[in-house]
Amino acid sequence: YVKAESFSNLKIDAKIRELVDLDDDLISENIELDHKLKFFLVNGIHAAIAYVSSANGMIKIGEYFENPLFVDEITESYLRFSVANIGINQITAEEYIETSITRFRHSGVDSIARIGRNPQLKLQRGERLEPVFEYGSKRLVDVIHAGAKLLSS
């Protein structure tokens, strides 16, 4: 079994749930949806913030939230992608994104290099940054590529 943070969801067999006494709010009926939500709305937003931060000479994620460049555009890109491609409503997407942003804001000592590691994978089509490439401005995409390049060197 896996125990998750309260905003995460998991599909757990009923017998296992009884054995480990998991709260009902940790149980999911749709593991595929939960994977997409985490992959894009947690991991993707985190990577986008890391690359924007890297391009602007930041070392820790906390620095980003002192001057959150592109945060509205990043959020909007992921919101539009979620509604169009993941199949969730706008309110659910907004709540999930806000939870992710709040979580990142409180992890201020996390390093940009750690968050942005493995840019060759994260920049591929169909990967976690797809929403930015599909809905973001050319300027945002260019900044993300510049930040990723700095982290890969």
Side-chain angles (χ1 to χ4, degrees):
Y1 74 92
V2 179
K3 193 144 183 150
E5 296 175 61
S6 59
F7 67 85
S8 299
N9 295 316
L10 299 171
K11 183 173 183 168
I12 306 291
D13 180 272
K15 289 181 184 179
I16 294 173
R17 190 173 73 174
E18 286 177 27
L19 289 173
V20 296
D21 192 33
L22 289 175
D23 297 330
D24 284 339
D25 66 339
L26 296 178
I27 308 306
S28 172
E29 299 300 321
N30 190 340
I31 197 78
E32 185 178 333
L33 173 62
D34 293 330
H35 169 72
K36 287 178 182 177
L37 290 171
K38 182 175 186 320
F39 186 70
F40 291 110
L41 303 187
V42 177
N43 301 39
I45 293 171
H46 212 198
I49 288 171
Y51 296 137
V52 168
S53 299
S54 172
N56 286 280
M58 299 172 193
I59 305 298
K60 302 286 183 190
I61 193 95
E63 294 173 76
Y64 174 82
F65 289 103
E66 292 170 11
N67 184 21
L69 305 164
F70 294 104
V71 73
D72 292 337
E73 188 174 349
I74 291 169
T75 300
E76 182 64 23
S77 297
Y78 280 90
L79 179 62
R80 290 178 62 199
F81 180 88
S82 298
V83 172
N85 298 297
I86 297 177
I88 60 173
N89 66 49
Q90 184 159 338
I91 293 170
T92 300
E94 287 171 350
E95 290 172 352
Y96 208 100
I97 290 167
E98 183 56 37
T99 298
S100 295
I101 297 286
T102 299
R103 178 177 160 224
F104 305 149
R105 186 176 286 118
H106 290 26
S107 65
V109 297
D110 206 355
S111 80
I112 298 303
R114 188 202 69 76
I115 299 163
R117 69 183 179 268
N118 212 358
Q120 302 85 337
L121 170 68
K122 294 174 183 172
L123 293 173
Q124 292 177 14
R125 286 296 246 167
E127 262 291 327
R128 65 203 82 203
L129 291 166
E130 186 72 21
V132 170
F133 299 147
E134 191 170 330
Y135 294 104
S137 68
K138 181 180 180 334
R139 183 168 173 244
L140 173 58
V141 171
D142 289 347
V143 169
I144 285 176
H145 278 288
K149 186 175 182 179
L150 287 170
L151 288 176
S152 62
S153 55

